[in-house]
Structure formats: C-alpha cells, structure tokens
Amino acid sequence: MTTRVRLIELAPGGAADAEAVDRIMGAAFDPRYGEAWTRSQCIGILAMPGVWLTLARVDDVVVGFALVRAIMDEAELLLIAVDPAARRRGVGAALLRGVIAECDGRGVARLHLEVRANNPAVALYAAHGFVRAGVRRDYYRGTGGQTHDAHTYARDLRA
Ligand SMILES: CC(C)(COP(=O)(O)OP(=O)(O)OC[C@H]1O[C@@H](n2cnc3c(N)ncnc32)[C@H](O)[C@@H]1OP(=O)(O)O)[C@@H](O)C(=O)NCCC(=O)NCCS
C-alpha cells in the first residue's frame, strides 16, 4: 500500500496575496452569516502596524489563511479560513499553531478571538486551549438581515 502525506507549508503573506485570500474567503464562509470580509477590508488592515497574514499551502496552492492583529502584548485572531476542499486534514490546526508561535515570538501574552455562536470552528479553538470570555449579541448580520451572536474566546500564552 502506498501512503501519500501532503505537507502543509506556512508562510507570511501580504497585499499581493489578496486574490488567494479572496478566493478562500469566498469559498470558506457561508454568506448567510455575514462573517466574511471584503478584499478591500483585508488589504486595508494589512497596511496597519501589528497586522500579519499567514498563508497555508499544500502542493504550492494556497488552501487557507489566518489574519492577526497585535497591539502591545495583546493580539486578536481576526480571521482563519480553510478551503472546504482541504478541510479536516489539519490545515486549520497548523495555522492556529503557527499564529500562536508567531504571537509567542512577538511577546504576546493573550490571544483573543470572536466567533459566531454555533460555528464549528469553536471545536478547533477549544482543542487549542481557548476559553470562552463573553458574548456580543447580534454581532453578525447575515443575508436577509438576520443577526447572530458572537462569542469571544481568549487564551493566555504565558500560562
Ligand atoms: C474552522 C476551519 C478553519 C477549520 O479548518 P480545518 O482545516 O478543517 O481544521 P483541522 O482539520 O485542522 O481541524 C482540527 C480539529 O478542529 C476540530 N474541527 C475542525 N473543524 C470542525 C468541524 N467542522 N466540526 C467539528 N470539529 C471541527 C476537530 O477537533 C479537528 O480535529 P479532527 O479533524 O481530528 O476531528 C474551517 O472549518 C473553516 O475555514 N471554516 C469556515 C471559516 C470560519 O468559520 N472560520 C472561523 C471564524 S474566523
């Protein structure tokens, strides 16, 4: 029997990768929930200090990304997304581990994130030590004007 192991490569990205990010964004987020960002929102935030993009590639193709903003010793995971065709193969976990390692290197003490209530991504965050911190009622507005709560999570990186 032949077994093929596909390597997940993580690398920093930038505004030049906006097309790949846009492609993953469009495929990964369900428009019903209003979680996705526009291309110009992504490009705009990438120009801000303390913001970085990590790309995940398999066989040289971008299959996922994470976008993070750090201010002093606090950071926020703004977005993490994986192409539906590449899911449940460890790409999201690799990105999250990469983000945590980068935060460590930058002296970040606490990493925050917010996620739509009932988003299955919560299982990924819980598996990586994130603890629920609060709720933002009606934070996301999806198609048809329907709103969805956001839950905030955080993980201490110095614990
Ligand atoms: C969340 C997301 C990034 C996970 O990416 P992924 O590459 O499939 O994640 P992984 O394969 O690394 O999963 C690691 C673990 O997280 C958990 N997990 C991930 N997706 C899950 C799901 N849909 N349901 C339940 N558990 C899940 C599991 O414990 C999984 O381990 P397992 O496959 O061995 O059971 C991906 O589903 C995604 O892009 N979702 C849409 C975008 C989004 O909502 N992002 C979060 C808010 S910004």
Side-chain angles (χ1 to χ4, degrees):
M1 190 180 88
T2 307
T3 307
R4 182 152 186 238
V5 178
R6 296 193 141 168
L7 289 182
I8 301 162
E9 292 174 273
L10 300 187
D17 302 298
E19 198 174 323
V21 168
D22 217 29
R23 173 174 55 78
I24 303 293
M25 190 91 71
F29 287 96
D30 187 330
R32 274 181 304 168
Y33 301 122
E35 299 161 293
W37 291 25
T38 64
R39 186 188 289 220
S40 58
Q41 281 175 315
C42 290
I43 291 174
I45 204 156
L46 276 169
M48 292 174 69
V51 174
W52 75 90
L53 173 69
T54 303
L55 300 175
R57 289 187 177 84
V58 172
D59 295 339
D60 286 333
V61 175
V62 176
V63 294
F65 70 87
L67 186 65
V68 185
R69 171 173 51 197
I71 300 173
M72 312 284 282
D73 65 350
E74 304 263 321
E76 184 177 8
L77 175 61
L78 300 169
L79 286 170
I80 183 167
V82 172
D83 187 333
R87 286 194 192 154
R88 300 308 285 266
R89 292 183 211 156
V91 176
L95 279 164
L96 197 48
R97 283 196 302 271
V99 164
I100 290 166
E102 180 72 26
C103 283
D104 256 342
R106 292 177 184 231
V108 169
R110 198 164 160 83
L111 179 57
H112 303 261
L113 62 85
E114 79 204 352
V115 59
R116 173 179 49 83
N118 303 324
N119 186 327
V122 165
L124 174 65
Y125 302 140
H128 287 81
F130 285 83
V131 175
R132 197 167 135 187
V135 60
R136 291 178 184 156
R137 297 273 173 227
D138 301 326
Y139 186 79
Y140 297 103
R141 183 170 296 272
T143 47
Q146 201 179 351
T147 58
H148 306 273
D149 293 348
H151 288 168
T152 56
Y153 283 77
R155 177 182 151 167
D156 282 328
L157 302 184
R158 296 204 178 136

